[in-house]
Amino acid sequence: MNSDNAKAVTGWIERFSTCLFCSRAMSNLGELTRKMRYSIALDMPPSQEADEEAVTVWRCPYCGWWAAKSPYLNTGGHIMAEVGYGALRAFDPADVAAPIEASRAHLMLRPEDALKLHPQRLEDIVGSIFRDFGYRTRVTAYRADGGIDVYLDSDQGLVGVQVKRTKNPIEIEQVSSLTGALLVNDCTSGIFVTTSRFRRGARQVAGKARVRGLPVELYDGQRLLKALEIAQLFDPEDLGNPWMRCVFKEYYKEH
């Protein structure tokens, strides 16, 4: 590769190391291999044998935007680059039929849209986050759920999760109601997740429940988004991932 070609490739890497959509750092997924059949002239059919080509792929772990590049030789013997980009489409946060990955990426990119999510979709997102953290999760029926929206099963016991999509602060009575549901459903601990915040009295109730042997963790809107960010970046196959050494290590639970 001559200096001009090297400069072009370097420029491409610099350009796509940052997401064009959300301006965050892109992840290099490495080189993939594809097989292509080419014609040596426009009026001739493609060759019968497929040529293997290396495709470099970059992906934003936050919003899902992607870009790919594949070098090839043109008829003049010059190295060219074929570049592809992710396409955007209108996304409806209230659509419960959308892929959960799309809903998570949208919430990561536009946290202000949390209140636009269907309550059931927020329950699905919360369940998927804790699944990424190593729990065996089960999202309950949207209605008549007995006060528990998501169950987290681990070797340490059964955790009951209540999820509230609201702009209003969580009151004492709501946390007290969760503690009652935990006892009725034989849960060993609980988690209350909300898009808003907790009043001081609600935090005090959670503290008293912990003292009495029924721990209740509180996730306000800010902590929920931080957990989502970790889940978006975490690769369970990569034990060298910086996430494994960060201060949020307590989120992770072994099967």
Side-chain angles (χ1 to χ4, degrees):
M1 182 181 294
N2 60 37
S3 59
D4 290 338
N5 290 329
K7 185 182 297 184
V9 172
T10 301
W12 184 89
I13 292 175
E14 291 177 349
R15 180 180 181 187
F16 292 104
S17 62
T18 301
C19 178
L20 299 182
F21 187 41
C22 70
S23 299
R24 291 185 170 99
M26 299 270 277
S27 296
N28 187 347
L29 302 184
E31 287 191 349
L32 307 178
T33 301
R34 69 174 180 178
K35 291 188 176 182
M36 299 291 290
R37 291 186 175 90
Y38 293 100
S39 300
I40 61 175
L42 294 178
D43 56 349
M44 296 183 64
S47 61
Q48 294 300 314
E49 295 184 1
D51 296 327
E52 287 191 353
E53 291 184 345
V55 182
T56 304
V57 181
W58 293 72
R59 178 181 179 275
C60 176
Y62 293 91
C63 71
W65 177 275
W66 62 267
K69 178 187 73 70
S70 176
Y72 66 93
L73 289 172
N74 66 7
T75 56
H78 298 93
I79 296 179
M80 308 295 288
E82 177 185 354
V83 179
Y85 307 87
L88 296 180
R89 55 167 291 179
F91 180 79
D92 181 7
D95 184 7
V96 296
I100 189 69
E101 295 82 5
S103 296
R104 283 175 45 152
H106 183 84
L107 183 58
M108 188 72 249
L109 184 63
R110 306 211 186 284
E112 67 275 11
D113 282 354
L115 294 177
K116 297 180 181 179
L117 291 169
H118 190 283
Q120 182 179 3
R121 178 37 51 111
L122 184 59
E123 294 173 7
D124 293 335
I125 291 175
V126 170
S128 71
I129 290 173
F130 283 100
R131 186 180 304 113
D132 286 347
F133 293 161
Y135 286 97
R136 299 181 291 274
T137 64
R138 174 167 54 90
V139 180
T140 63
Y142 179 54
R143 302 188 185 280
D145 55 17
I148 304 296
D149 297 316
V150 184
Y151 285 102
L152 312 179
D153 193 12
S154 71
D155 294 339
Q156 288 72 41
L158 185 64
V159 183
V161 184
Q162 176 67 253
V163 182
K164 289 292 184 185
R165 187 215 64 177
T166 179
K167 63 180 179 180
N168 300 318
I170 300 301
E171 306 286 351
I172 295 176
E173 295 78 13
Q174 292 170 287
V175 177
S176 297
S177 177
L178 173 59
T179 59
L182 295 175
L183 292 172
V184 170
N185 291 282
D186 298 322
C187 296
T188 55
S189 62
I191 300 175
F192 201 121
V193 180
T194 180
T195 52
S196 60
R197 60 184 179 87
F198 296 90
R199 291 199 184 277
R200 180 181 300 178
R203 293 187 178 275
Q204 291 173 344
V205 169
K208 291 179 180 179
R210 177 180 292 276
V211 171
R212 295 176 182 177
L214 189 63
V216 177
E217 290 288 327
L218 303 180
Y219 279 68
D220 58 15
Q222 184 176 4
R223 188 177 181 186
L224 170 61
L225 290 174
K226 177 57 68 174
L228 174 60
E229 179 178 355
I230 295 170
Q232 290 290 88
L233 295 176
F234 176 53
D235 179 3
E237 301 299 326
D238 181 8
L239 298 182
N241 193 298
W243 181 90
M244 298 296 291
R245 302 187 298 274
C246 77
V247 295
F248 294 97
K249 196 171 182 179
E250 67 270 17
Y251 283 126
Y252 183 72
K253 303 293 182 182
E254 293 288 344
H255 282 293

